Amino acid sequence: MMKNNFITMLIIALITSLYSCKEEKNSVWKEQVNEVTLNFPNGNLYLYGKAWGLGGNHEEIILSSYKLNNKEDLKKEEVYTFYSSDIYYKKDDNGLIVYATESETKEPNQFKSNIKVILKRIKTYDDVKEYSENYEKYGLTKFSMINR
């Protein structure tokens, strides 16, 4: 009898866990996304930051030339992907300058935009720390994966 109760409780816990994971997977895009539209005279660029996983330890920032209404709109070969919690950027007359950690950056091979994007790769730990602490001094804006 005790063994049957334990097995029943285990099955209920497993079903509840699976249902929770399914709900989290379906709601991650809408609930844990930070979005910023960057307006330029000749169009827009869009920054999306998201965190997911049990501890929110999966991080991704997307720079896109098109609006993403849902996860299915994402075409990885057409967007900049930063596997980081933060990037820094500056708009200027020529377009957008993005500062991001070199090892956490994936450039697209089919980025389509009238707006020029210049990627400045941050290479060393000391440089990462310097930008993190002094980005405003350099006239940069910080974009984070989630609102903090």
Side-chain angles (χ1 to χ4, degrees):
M1 183 74 158
M2 184 85 148
K3 186 176 179 181
N4 287 342
N5 285 343
F6 177 74
I7 292 173
T8 303
M9 294 293 280
L10 188 61
I11 290 171
I12 290 171
L14 181 62
I15 291 170
T16 303
S17 295
L18 290 172
Y19 180 76
S20 296
C21 289
K22 183 178 184 229
E23 285 298 311
E24 180 180 320
K25 183 179 176 186
N26 290 335
S27 66
V28 160
W29 188 257
K30 293 185 187 289
E31 290 181 8
Q32 297 183 22
V33 172
N34 182 15
E35 177 183 337
V36 171
T37 300
L38 303 171
N39 300 304
F40 293 86
N42 54 342
N44 295 329
L45 291 176
Y46 304 92
L47 281 170
Y48 300 92
K50 68 177 180 171
W52 70 97
L54 289 176
N57 56 340
H58 294 281
E59 307 162 342
E60 188 174 84
I61 295 174
I62 301 291
L63 172 61
S64 174
S65 61
Y66 56 92
K67 186 142 179 76
L68 298 172
N69 295 313
N70 57 54
K71 208 167 159 180
E72 288 72 35
D73 290 344
L74 182 63
K75 298 174 186 95
K76 287 284 196 174
E77 67 279 357
E78 296 180 5
V79 299
Y80 285 85
T81 305
F82 307 97
Y83 301 99
S84 174
S85 59
D86 305 304
I87 63 168
Y88 309 95
Y89 67 90
K90 178 174 27 176
K91 290 171 53 174
D92 72 6
D93 295 337
N94 296 321
L96 183 70
I97 303 171
V98 178
Y99 295 79
T101 307
E102 180 175 48
S103 62
E104 300 170 340
T105 301
K106 183 173 183 221
E107 288 188 71
N109 55 12
Q110 298 179 19
F111 190 75
K112 300 170 189 165
S113 177
N114 295 327
I115 302 157
K116 185 175 182 180
V117 174
I118 299 170
L119 181 59
K120 302 281 188 175
R121 295 173 181 259
I122 304 171
K123 296 182 181 185
T124 67
Y125 170 79
D126 290 336
D127 288 342
V128 170
K129 185 177 176 186
E130 174 68 21
Y131 279 99
S132 176
E133 293 174 354
N134 299 301
Y135 66 92
E136 290 172 321
K137 181 172 83 174
Y138 300 124
L140 302 174
T141 301
K142 181 179 184 177
F143 179 83
S144 294
M145 63 180 171
I146 55 176
N147 291 324
R148 297 180 200 193

